[in-house]
Amino acid sequence: VQLVESGGGLAQAGGSLRLSCAASGRTFSNYAMAWFRQAQGKEREFVAAVSRSGVRTSYANSVSGRFTISRDNAKNTVYLQMNSLKPEDTAIYYCAADFGGYIGSDSHRYEPWGQGTQVTVSS
């Protein structure tokens, strides 16, 4: 499966953005999906994940209650709705897939990955 993120950009603190990740090439509903992010000079970190059906989700503590992950299997797309943005949310955001259905935080379990989309939050 190939993954392409979109929807990044510049937002003010307290604002919102919605990221999208479009998948192609394989049956999208066979994959659990996740979002990770990497800030400049820092390691890549888990943000959120969603099960194949969309019923189960998991979130990093830092975004829980502010971000929502969802998916539309008919559109082969996973979303990340980001509300109440903070300057510390500034990073490149990546989507990733796992054929085994894993929705945890271990980045090594996910393959493939998208190319990333930049999110910048100004104070």
PDB file of all heavy atoms in Angstrom, residues 33 53 58-59 78 119:
ATOM      1  N   MET A  33      -4.003   1.629  10.966  1.00  0.00           N
ATOM      2  CA  MET A  33      -3.337   2.856  10.539  1.00  0.00           C
ATOM      3  C   MET A  33      -2.933   3.688  11.752  1.00  0.00           C
ATOM      4  O   MET A  33      -3.605   3.665  12.791  1.00  0.00           O
ATOM      5  CB  MET A  33      -4.266   3.682   9.652  1.00  0.00           C
ATOM      6  CG  MET A  33      -4.707   2.981   8.380  1.00  0.00           C
ATOM      7  SD  MET A  33      -3.341   2.629   7.274  1.00  0.00           S
ATOM      8  CE  MET A  33      -2.756   4.281   6.901  1.00  0.00           C
ATOM      9  N   SER A  53     -11.191  -1.710  11.424  1.00  0.00           N
ATOM     10  CA  SER A  53     -12.612  -1.359  11.307  1.00  0.00           C
ATOM     11  C   SER A  53     -12.900   0.070  11.735  1.00  0.00           C
ATOM     12  O   SER A  53     -13.963   0.611  11.443  1.00  0.00           O
ATOM     13  CB  SER A  53     -13.450  -2.296  12.168  1.00  0.00           C
ATOM     14  OG  SER A  53     -13.136  -2.095  13.544  1.00  0.00           O
ATOM     15  N   SER A  58      -6.160   4.347  19.726  1.00  0.00           N
ATOM     16  CA  SER A  58      -5.221   4.588  20.817  1.00  0.00           C
ATOM     17  C   SER A  58      -4.549   5.935  20.578  1.00  0.00           C
ATOM     18  O   SER A  58      -4.403   6.362  19.429  1.00  0.00           O
ATOM     19  CB  SER A  58      -4.177   3.470  20.918  1.00  0.00           C
ATOM     20  OG  SER A  58      -3.410   3.388  19.741  1.00  0.00           O
ATOM     21  N   TYR A  59      -4.159   6.600  21.670  1.00  0.00           N
ATOM     22  CA  TYR A  59      -3.598   7.939  21.582  1.00  0.00           C
ATOM     23  C   TYR A  59      -2.406   8.095  22.532  1.00  0.00           C
ATOM     24  O   TYR A  59      -2.366   7.487  23.611  1.00  0.00           O
ATOM     25  CB  TYR A  59      -4.641   8.987  21.979  1.00  0.00           C
ATOM     26  CG  TYR A  59      -5.804   9.088  21.030  1.00  0.00           C
ATOM     27  CD1 TYR A  59      -6.971   8.368  21.241  1.00  0.00           C
ATOM     28  CD2 TYR A  59      -5.729   9.921  19.908  1.00  0.00           C
ATOM     29  CE1 TYR A  59      -8.040   8.450  20.371  1.00  0.00           C
ATOM     30  CE2 TYR A  59      -6.794  10.012  19.025  1.00  0.00           C
ATOM     31  CZ  TYR A  59      -7.946   9.282  19.263  1.00  0.00           C
ATOM     32  OH  TYR A  59      -8.997   9.378  18.393  1.00  0.00           O
ATOM     33  N   VAL A  78      -7.384   7.807   6.039  1.00  0.00           N
ATOM     34  CA  VAL A  78      -7.378   7.972   7.486  1.00  0.00           C
ATOM     35  C   VAL A  78      -7.165   9.451   7.783  1.00  0.00           C
ATOM     36  O   VAL A  78      -6.460  10.144   7.039  1.00  0.00           O
ATOM     37  CB  VAL A  78      -6.294   7.096   8.149  1.00  0.00           C
ATOM     38  CG1 VAL A  78      -4.891   7.462   7.673  1.00  0.00           C
ATOM     39  CG2 VAL A  78      -6.377   7.170   9.666  1.00  0.00           C
ATOM     40  N   VAL A 119       3.358  20.385   9.929  1.00  0.00           N
ATOM     41  CA  VAL A 119       2.403  21.150  10.730  1.00  0.00           C
ATOM     42  C   VAL A 119       3.201  22.129  11.582  1.00  0.00           C
ATOM     43  O   VAL A 119       4.120  21.727  12.303  1.00  0.00           O
ATOM     44  CB  VAL A 119       1.560  20.230  11.628  1.00  0.00           C
ATOM     45  CG1 VAL A 119       0.742  21.053  12.624  1.00  0.00           C
ATOM     46  CG2 VAL A 119       0.652  19.354  10.784  1.00  0.00           C
TER      47      VAL A 119
END
